[in-house]
Amino acid sequence: MLTPINILKKIPLFSSLSESDQQNLTSLLRRKLLGKGEHLFRQGDEGTALYIIVQGRIKISLSKRADNVTLAILGQGEFLGEMALLDELPRSADAIALEETQLYILNRKDFLSFLAGNTHTVYAILNSLSRRLRRMDDQLAEMCFLNLSARLAKQLVELAETQNPGGDPKACDLNISQQELGNILGASRESINKELKILRDKGVVETSRNSIRILDLEALRKRMP
Amino acid sequence: MLTPINILKKIPLFSSLSESDQQNLTSLLRRKLLGKGEHLFRQGDEGTALYIIVQGRIKISLSKRADNVTLAILGQGEFLGEMALLDELPRSADAIALEETQLYILNRKDFLSFLAGNTHTVYAILNSLSRRLRRMDDQLAEMCFLNLSARLAKQLVELAETQNPGGDPKACDLNISQQELGNILGASRESINKELKILRDKGVVETSRNSIRILDLEALRKRMP
DNA sequence: TAATCTATGTGAATTTATTCACATTTCCTA
DNA sequence: TAGGAAATGTGAATAAATTCACATAGATTA
């Protein structure tokens, strides 16, 4: 069930909180609905809230660049805008709903006053941010030193795991266009297509419009060193 | 003068503390000296301390990879190992002294007990981590979408600005080898050399052993879109 | 349902960066 | 100060990915 408290438990930033802290935090949440293609916020906007995705998908992108860079596509249980809670800087990217999306909102003020009474939460957050920094160090190194074939394999595995947390080894459909994959991986649409052809010829994936079906997740794992 | 308190004032994480808080923190610091080439810590080590660089330079790198990736080169007034204070995970990279280096050490236990009495410091840290995350988002996008020429220009400008905070428009020497620049930018030593030749031919830089002299910072800025 | 739009598939030419193979230069030290 | 190690400089061959130029397929709507 997607109760607020169950949503909180899935968020690394909050999952280590005690049950009662989670209940308190839950009482501060408000709801919001977004239609497909609607902006949640734009680069440069003042940011004063954290959003938690209850249902649907949000794309984080830098549209100001000539190349349209996609930083992330977030789904159910993931959250965004958390940096606005921790510093006073404007939004560093755009956030757009890829489909009809339902969110919880947590305001900066509410969050900070919650923090003031929860030392434990503060340490949980420091811990969580620290892990994210470690992870980004890794990602940076990978972007830099892996070729497209390896990066694509890695991205597909990652998408499969987030869309299919059970770790089901069976077939799994990813709802993403080849253009979007290119935006995420910093590659052209055509290059993505050519890499997918190689995977298709080996029977690792099947492709169709706006969708990639993963047939052999293990084979993908072997391609990401 | 490089007294402990003057060092603290230069660190974004601590510069906003009151004079008395800075004095308290200073009393927790110990000294350490490292010779050129000496390891401060290695990937996988248990991490229990934060280090502040008083004098010298420390390289953070991932030597386990086939390609030797350099994540950062830190200098006077910068700090490292802070993630070990915030989570319990082992060191995620190697830290090596590039030259004779003098450090202050702040132990995890001491730091955490200091934090317990300094809410203000906690927020300063959250703020600082948040900014670093934003910066890494940018870096990731750049790595991905800028070509070597632009990335090199950007890196040179960045190095010039950190080594020369006054923003002096005059000539500026960077003490770094071409191999090291390659490790930072995810490029081969030869490619760096060829890009530098282009800049040299245009009179933008001069090169010599372990050193790049920037003659025209503005020209570099124009090359990084 | 025909027209249109969006997404995918593919080959050829081109660009970008790497690898390889040496020559040269600079620094350090035995 | 002679000899070796480390860093730089450069050309040629190779590999990786992009760009360009279409063809085809699937969805949407007028």
Side-chain angles (χ1 to χ4, degrees):
Chain A
M1 252 283 283
L2 293 177
T3 58
I5 191 110
N6 282 336
I7 294 286
L8 280 193
K9 283 178 180 165
K10 287 184 189 163
I11 299 178
L13 209 56
F14 302 125
S15 59
S16 66
L17 294 185
S18 71
E19 187 85 14
S20 67
D21 283 346
Q22 286 180 345
Q23 286 291 359
N24 289 338
L25 197 54
T26 296
S27 68
L28 303 173
L29 301 178
R30 290 183 299 114
R31 277 172 175 284
K32 187 181 179 76
L33 286 173
L34 277 182
K36 178 174 174 174
E38 207 175 335
H39 271 79
L40 180 56
F41 53 74
R42 288 164 200 274
Q43 189 169 7
D45 284 359
E46 189 191 3
T48 59
L50 166 89
Y51 303 93
I52 300 168
I53 302 175
V54 179
Q55 190 94 54
R57 287 190 304 160
I58 300 273
K59 175 169 84 166
I60 311 294
S61 62
L62 302 175
S63 59
K64 284 185 175 171
R65 289 181 168 275
D67 312 277
N68 186 4
V69 183
T70 297
L71 294 175
I73 292 180
L74 304 173
Q76 194 182 102
E78 297 186 285
F79 62 100
L80 60 148
E82 73 288 356
M83 289 190 287
L85 300 183
L86 308 175
D87 64 35
E88 311 264 357
L89 299 174
R91 297 295 185 191
S92 52
D94 296 326
I96 307 170
L98 290 178
E99 52 200 68
E100 187 133 315
T101 296
Q102 188 190 335
L103 304 153
Y104 287 126
I105 305 179
L106 177 57
N107 281 321
R108 179 183 167 83
K109 277 188 185 174
D110 291 340
F111 182 62
L112 291 183
S113 59
F114 172 76
L115 277 195
N118 287 272
T119 322
H120 181 254
T121 309
V122 173
Y123 288 105
I125 289 173
L126 286 174
N127 205 291
S128 165
L129 289 177
S130 179
R131 279 163 197 263
R132 276 188 53 194
L133 279 170
R134 282 175 196 271
R135 192 160 159 280
M136 290 205 67
D137 272 351
D138 278 349
Q139 265 190 280
L140 202 61
E142 278 158 12
M143 248 334 156
C144 208
F145 290 95
L146 297 187
N147 62 15
L148 182 54
S149 162
R151 297 211 308 280
L152 176 60
K154 197 167 156 40
Q155 185 67 42
L156 290 177
V157 169
E158 202 169 303
L159 287 170
E161 281 168 352
T162 55
Q163 286 197 23
N164 194 9
D168 189 356
K170 290 174 57 183
C172 158
D173 284 321
L174 308 177
N175 297 308
I176 189 168
S177 73
Q178 297 180 8
Q179 178 65 68
E180 198 57 72
L181 266 177
N183 290 345
I184 292 173
L185 293 173
S188 69
R189 196 265 312 164
E190 295 92 330
S191 295
I192 297 291
N193 183 283
K194 286 160 192 169
E195 290 295 334
L196 284 175
K197 176 180 166 55
I198 295 170
L199 296 177
R200 214 162 44 220
D201 291 348
K202 298 191 187 224
V204 177
V205 302
E206 276 171 7
T207 60
S208 57
R209 190 188 179 87
N210 284 317
S211 168
I212 296 168
R213 167 166 294 172
I214 295 182
L215 302 173
D216 187 351
L217 199 57
E218 276 316 303
L220 283 180
R221 287 217 174 83
K222 282 180 196 143
R223 296 175 70 88
M224 38 179 275
Chain B
M1 252 283 283
L2 292 179
T3 59
I5 192 108
N6 283 336
I7 292 288
L8 281 193
K9 282 177 182 166
K10 285 184 189 163
I11 300 178
L13 209 56
F14 303 124
S15 60
S16 64
L17 292 183
S18 72
E19 187 83 16
S20 67
D21 283 344
Q22 285 180 345
Q23 287 290 359
N24 288 338
L25 195 53
T26 295
S27 68
L28 303 174
L29 300 178
R30 290 184 297 115
R31 278 173 175 283
K32 188 180 177 75
L33 286 173
L34 278 181
K36 177 173 176 176
E38 208 175 334
H39 271 80
L40 180 57
F41 52 76
R42 289 164 198 274
Q43 189 169 5
D45 285 358
E46 189 190 5
T48 59
L50 168 89
Y51 302 94
I52 300 168
I53 301 176
V54 178
Q55 189 93 54
R57 286 189 304 160
I58 300 274
K59 173 169 85 165
I60 310 293
S61 63
L62 301 176
S63 61
K64 284 188 177 173
R65 291 184 167 273
D67 313 278
N68 186 4
V69 183
T70 296
L71 295 174
I73 292 178
L74 305 173
Q76 193 181 103
E78 296 186 283
F79 61 99
L80 62 147
E82 73 288 357
M83 289 192 286
L85 301 183
L86 308 174
D87 64 34
E88 310 266 357
L89 298 176
R91 299 296 186 191
S92 53
D94 296 327
I96 307 170
L98 290 178
E99 53 200 67
E100 187 132 317
T101 296
Q102 187 189 337
L103 304 153
Y104 286 126
I105 305 179
L106 178 56
N107 281 321
R108 179 183 166 84
K109 277 188 186 175
D110 290 340
F111 184 59
L112 291 184
S113 60
F114 173 77
L115 278 196
N118 287 272
T119 322
H120 184 253
T121 308
V122 174
Y123 287 105
I125 289 174
L126 286 174
N127 206 291
S128 162
L129 290 178
S130 178
R131 279 164 198 264
R132 275 187 51 194
L133 281 170
R134 280 177 198 271
R135 193 159 159 283
M136 291 205 69
D137 269 351
D138 278 351
Q139 265 191 281
L140 205 58
E142 278 157 11
M143 247 335 155
C144 207
F145 290 94
L146 297 185
N147 62 18
L148 182 56
S149 161
R151 297 211 308 282
L152 176 60
K154 198 167 156 38
Q155 184 67 42
L156 291 176
V157 169
E158 202 171 303
L159 286 170
E161 281 168 351
T162 55
Q163 287 197 23
N164 194 10
D168 188 356
K170 289 173 58 184
C172 158
D173 284 321
L174 308 177
N175 296 308
I176 189 168
S177 74
Q178 297 179 9
Q179 179 65 67
E180 198 58 70
L181 266 177
N183 290 343
I184 292 173
L185 294 173
S188 68
R189 196 266 311 165
E190 295 92 330
S191 295
I192 297 292
N193 183 283
K194 284 160 192 170
E195 289 296 332
L196 283 174
K197 176 180 167 58
I198 296 170
L199 295 176
R200 214 162 43 218
D201 289 348
K202 296 190 188 224
V204 176
V205 303
E206 278 171 4
T207 60
S208 56
R209 190 190 177 87
N210 284 319
S211 167
I212 296 167
R213 168 166 294 174
I214 295 182
L215 303 173
D216 187 349
L217 199 57
E218 276 317 303
L220 283 181
R221 287 218 173 82
K222 281 180 197 141
R223 296 175 71 88
M224 39 178 273

